[in-house]
Amino acid sequence: MTSELTPQQQQATIEATQILASKQEVLMELGRLQAFTHIKNYATVAEIITFKKIRESKEYKGLTYKKDGKTATVATIEEFCPAFLNRSYRSLKEAEEYLATFGEEFYETSKQIGIGNREMRALRQLPEEEQALVIESEAVETGDKEAIKDLISDLKAKHAKSQAEQTQKLKDTENQLAAARKSRDDYQTKANALEEQLELKRFQANTWQEQVKQLLLEATQYEGNAIESLSQLCALRTHFMNSDDLPPEAIEHLAAGILDSFKSMAEDFAQAWMDTANMLEGYLPSMRPSLEVLQDLADSAAQSEG
């Protein structure tokens, strides 16, 4: 006597078949991956590629395994890796990143000759051109493990020293720029204070020559300070432009700041000149250096005494 399945039982059977079919491929991949672990020195690349395929498919979810004597169901890739591969997800993901960075040939060679994760991490932190020095080295071709480790160590030390030097140079430049800005701010503060003092002063008929002399001497001093600041800024520009060991990104940042400093100074002086020329427009024909004016005052005073 044949028993017939109820509609509910038939539906459950169909769903179970569909789930089994969806898991079949990942189970086959998993079988291959577990087999690779026994010959990983020769199939590491294939192992990683298979791991990546399983990770991206997400079909590992729902697989069951034994945990503390009980049946557990996989929910995350972090749970899947130690349960089925006896390796942490972090180590497999790191291996995947090494493979993507260095290529299959070098990665497989490095594992065959025993280059460890410590060296691989150090190599990955180096610039691409220095990575190429290792990957394309004779030591890799000959499988000289110690020579490869020494080369990575030397490049790592050289790179760290270069970074420290660049950091110090950038710090020095920032300090110079900060000093230049402070000098400009101090100058502006003094100029404002002088302007306030001048508002309180009134020329007297019998002392105007002495007061003019004093004011022109101060103007000459401020002019000298401005020229000195401009000279220091030009020296700073020349210093970084002549530094052959600066990377392009350092030059880009320095150029941006230096250009702004020159632009700000030029705009401030241009605006000050236009304002002054408009205020004293009627005196433009008699414009001459302060030292000449002082000399005229001295000559006039000598003639008066004579």
Side-chain angles (χ1 to χ4, degrees), residues 37-96:
T37 61
H38 298 292
I39 54 171
K40 63 172 55 180
N41 287 341
Y42 302 97
T44 303
V45 171
E47 177 185 354
I48 296 171
I49 292 174
T50 305
F51 159 75
K52 180 181 179 183
K53 185 176 180 180
I54 292 176
R55 177 177 60 80
E56 292 177 347
S57 74
K58 299 187 184 299
E59 289 296 336
Y60 54 82
K61 294 183 178 181
L63 295 176
T64 60
Y65 66 101
K66 292 295 182 179
K67 181 179 181 181
D68 299 328
K70 298 180 180 179
T71 300
T73 302
V74 173
T76 65
I77 187 66
E78 289 82 2
E79 185 180 6
F80 166 79
C81 291
F84 288 86
L85 307 179
N86 295 319
R87 292 180 63 181
S88 68
Y89 167 73
R90 178 180 178 182
S91 66
L92 286 166
K93 191 65 174 65
E94 188 174 48
E96 181 184 332

Side-chain angles (χ1 to χ4, degrees), residues 27-301:
L27 289 171
M28 292 175 61
E29 295 290 352
L30 179 57
R32 286 194 289 267
L33 183 53
Q34 290 172 330
F36 289 151
T37 61
H38 298 292
I39 54 171
K40 63 172 55 180
N41 287 341
Y42 302 97
T44 303
V45 171
E47 177 185 354
I48 296 171
I49 292 174
T50 305
F51 159 75
K52 180 181 179 183
K53 185 176 180 180
I54 292 176
R55 177 177 60 80
E56 292 177 347
S57 74
K58 299 187 184 299
E59 289 296 336
Y60 54 82
K61 294 183 178 181
L63 295 176
T64 60
Y65 66 101
K66 292 295 182 179
K67 181 179 181 181
D68 299 328
K70 298 180 180 179
T71 300
T73 302
V74 173
T76 65
I77 187 66
E78 289 82 2
E79 185 180 6
F80 166 79
C81 291
F84 288 86
L85 307 179
N86 295 319
R87 292 180 63 181
S88 68
Y89 167 73
R90 178 180 178 182
S91 66
L92 286 166
K93 191 65 174 65
E94 188 174 48
E96 181 184 332
E97 292 170 354
Y98 292 152
L99 180 62
T101 301
F102 305 127
E104 295 184 7
E105 183 177 354
F106 175 76
Y107 183 82
E108 189 166 5
T109 299
S110 69
K111 290 305 178 183
Q112 288 176 359
I113 61 179
I115 299 300
N117 284 335
R118 179 179 180 182
E119 287 74 24
M120 296 294 279
R121 292 191 189 102
L123 180 59
R124 190 163 178 255
Q125 292 172 357
L126 295 175
E128 289 185 5
E129 59 272 17
E130 294 184 3
Q131 290 178 5
L133 292 177
V134 176
I135 295 173
E136 300 170 5
S137 67
E138 182 180 352
V140 172
E141 293 182 6
T142 59
D144 190 336
K145 174 182 175 180
E146 295 305 318
I148 295 174
K149 292 174 66 175
D150 290 343
L151 179 57
I152 293 175
S153 179
D154 291 344
L155 289 173
K156 179 182 177 181
K158 179 181 177 182
H159 183 62
K161 181 181 178 181
S162 176
Q163 283 188 316
E165 290 175 349
Q166 295 303 329
T167 299
Q168 185 59 48
K169 287 182 179 179
L170 287 174
K171 184 178 179 180
D172 292 342
T173 300
E174 289 173 357
N175 291 337
Q176 290 176 343
L177 290 174
R181 293 191 185 98
K182 184 178 185 302
S183 177
R184 186 177 68 177
D185 292 342
D186 291 344
Y187 166 77
Q188 188 62 50
T189 300
K190 291 178 181 178
N192 292 339
L194 176 61
E195 184 176 357
E196 293 177 1
Q197 293 175 13
L198 292 177
E199 288 294 328
L200 301 175
K201 291 182 178 181
R202 292 294 182 269
F203 287 107
Q204 299 178 10
N206 61 340
T207 61
W208 70 266
Q209 292 94 338
E210 187 61 29
Q211 293 184 47
V212 168
K213 175 183 176 182
Q214 182 61 35
L215 291 175
L216 287 178
L217 286 173
E218 290 184 11
T220 302
Q221 180 182 357
Y222 295 142
E223 180 184 354
N225 291 340
I227 293 174
E228 181 180 359
S229 296
L230 179 60
S231 298
Q232 291 175 344
L233 194 57
C234 289
L236 183 61
R237 175 197 61 197
T238 302
H239 173 70
F240 95 82
M241 286 301 296
N242 291 337
S243 297
D244 297 332
D245 55 345
L246 286 178
E249 57 268 25
I251 294 179
E252 179 180 354
H253 283 79
L254 288 172
I258 294 273
L259 282 170
D260 184 73
S261 295
F262 273 99
K263 180 175 179 290
S264 297
M265 181 175 287
E267 290 175 346
D268 290 345
F269 276 94
Q271 186 62 51
W273 161 247
M274 288 189 293
D275 293 343
T276 304
N278 289 333
M279 293 170 59
L280 305 175
E281 183 177 3
Y283 301 96
L284 286 174
S286 61
M287 180 176 64
R288 61 192 189 277
S290 297
L291 292 178
E292 291 187 11
V293 178
L294 289 170
Q295 185 62 51
D296 288 347
L297 287 174
D299 293 344
S300 297

